[in-house]
Each structure stands twice: as C-alpha cells, then as structure tokens.
Amino acid sequence: MGQLDGKVAIITGAAQGMGEAHTRRFVAEGAKVVMADLNEGDGERIAKELGDAAVFVKSDVTSVGDWRTLVETAESQFGNVTVLVNNAGIIGPIAETVELDEEDFHTVCLVNQYSQFYGMKAVIPSMQRAGGGSIINVSSVAGLVSIVGAPNLAYVGSKFASRGMTKHVATQYGKDNIRCNSVHPGYIKTPMMAAATDEEGGGITSQIPLGRMADPDEVAQLMVWLASDSSSYVSGTEQVIDAGLTAQ
C-alpha cells in the first residue's frame, strides 16, 4: 500500500523542479494528481508518463477561473480534492527595495501569495465534502528570517504572507478536519534556483551546514508525509527543510 492511497491532489507548478518531483512521488505513493502549470509541453509529457493517475491542466494560478477548472477537473476525474500543494512561485528581479519596480512587486505577490489564497478558497469546499484534507503552502526560508541575498522585497513579503495565511486557514478550518501547513525550503536544485544562482559555486554551499543543495525529491518526501494520514495531528506549522541554514 502507498502512503497516499485514496488521496486526490492538485499540485501547482507541476511541470518542472519541485512540482514535478512532488507529482511523481505522489503518484508513486498511490495518489491521483491534477497537475497545474503554464508549461504545457512538459506537463503533458509528465502526465502521459504517469498514466491514468495523473491529468495535466494548463493553468494560470493567478486566475480564479482557472482554479475553478482545476477543482472541477479533479472532482470529475478522481473525486473530491483531499490535498492541495500550492507549489507555484517565482523569484522576480534581483533588486534593492528602492530599485524594485512597482509592477514587478505586484507580479511576484500575485503569483506567490494571491494564487495561494485563490487555491485555498477553491479547494476548501471540496475538502469539506470529502470530510477533510491537507493544504500545503510552499513558502521559503525567506518567509522565516531575513536571508542575506534574498532577491527582492516582494519575494520576502509574499513568502512571509504565505506563512501567515497558512496559520489563519489552519485555525479556521480545523473544525472541518482540514489541516494547513507551510513548507520552507532552503536551497534546492531546481531550474529556477539554477537561473538565480551558481549551483556549483562555493558561495552558496559554504552557507549550508550540510554543505550541499537538496535534491527536489528530498522535499517531495516531506510533502508526502504532510499529505498523508501519518501527519494527522500536524496543522498550522512551519516545516523547515534547509539543512540547518536558518539554525545559524
């Protein structure tokens, strides 16, 4: 038996990086997954590889209408949604606060923060019909502390907001057996991280107590636990996965 047998999940940003790793791990553990991403080519390819347990829907997570479509697809294909992984996110420009363009600030917050609100609002009624569920909001270590080298104020602000929204939803909907937790990754080997940093450079790895970046599947294993009944009493928490980075 898989850890996620009988679970129906929506995973955003599912066509690459951490989202792809979460999707593959969820399916391997028995979940049915609706994959959401704008990257149609990779999304369709991955869904085809995973077979009947996964369906891809090209989606803009900043669109309320697209969120309705995701929930409707999940319910029609697999049943009521019991897991939401709000994984989609962007970094935005590398900029000091006084140099940050207002439009860039808005865009980063729209993708990183507003989309998580839209997603939670869309899935909660389905989870209530199912008798409960698990919402997992991907934040960042930059949503916990002031990280030297954080890309911009919008990124930090949106990741702190994710943490706060998580706690509010956890307290509001515990009565419906809906759990909500935030996950705070450090440096993970993803295309987005590679675009923003030098993966092989000593400047990053020297900051990490374990001396390396994480593989996306290491984060996916935490996601599986949070989505599973093994974490049935865990809600409203910050799950930090950073190899000790924020312990310093």
Side-chain angles (χ1 to χ4, degrees), residues 7-8 12 47 58 82 87 99 104 107-108 129 207 219 237:
K7 304 294 186 185
V8 176
T12 66
K58 184 177 180 180
T82 53
N87 171 75
E99 299 166 349
D104 287 333
T107 298
V108 172
R129 290 191 289 273
Q207 299 174 35
V219 184
T237 70

Side-chain angles (χ1 to χ4, degrees), residues 56-247:
F56 174 76
V57 180
K58 184 177 180 180
S59 303
D60 178 355
V61 294
T62 69
S63 164
V64 173
D66 282 8
W67 272 107
R68 291 195 198 100
T69 299
L70 285 170
V71 174
E72 289 168 1
T73 301
E75 291 182 336
S76 64
Q77 295 273 345
F78 304 127
N80 288 318
V81 180
T82 53
V83 180
L84 169 63
V85 180
N86 266 324
N87 171 75
I90 59 174
I91 291 176
I94 308 298
E96 296 289 337
T97 298
V98 296
E99 299 166 349
L100 183 62
D101 182 79
E102 289 84 357
E103 186 62 29
D104 287 333
F105 183 94
H106 176 76
T107 298
V108 172
C109 289
L110 191 61
V111 176
N112 292 358
Q113 177 188 355
Y114 284 38
S115 74
Q116 293 193 356
F117 159 59
Y118 298 155
M120 290 190 287
K121 182 175 180 178
V123 304
I124 284 171
S126 192
M127 289 183 172
Q128 288 171 322
R129 290 191 289 273
S134 174
I135 297 171
I136 307 166
N137 291 322
V138 178
S139 179
S140 165
V141 288
L144 294 170
V145 296
S146 177
I147 297 291
V148 174
N152 57 67
L153 183 67
Y155 182 81
V156 173
S158 63
K159 294 303 185 178
F160 264 87
S162 172
R163 175 186 173 196
M165 291 192 303
T166 294
K167 290 184 177 295
H168 188 70
V169 168
T171 58
Q172 275 194 323
Y173 293 98
K175 61 181 175 19
D176 297 314
N177 195 34
I178 294 173
R179 299 182 294 111
C180 190
N181 294 282
S182 57
V183 171
H184 300 261
Y187 291 110
I188 315 298
K189 289 185 285 187
T190 66
M192 187 169 72
M193 184 63 70
T197 63
D198 176 6
E199 269 192 275
E200 306 303 323
I204 289 175
T205 55
S206 65
Q207 299 174 35
I208 305 170
L210 287 184
R212 64 176 178 85
M213 289 186 179
D215 184 87
D217 191 60
E218 293 179 278
V219 184
Q221 293 180 61
L222 172 60
M223 295 292 191
V224 167
W225 180 70
L226 287 172
S228 76
D229 295 339
S230 296
S231 60
S232 58
Y233 204 63
V234 178
S235 191
T237 70
E238 296 102 349
Q239 298 290 319
V240 184
I241 181 163
D242 69 353
L245 182 67
T246 55

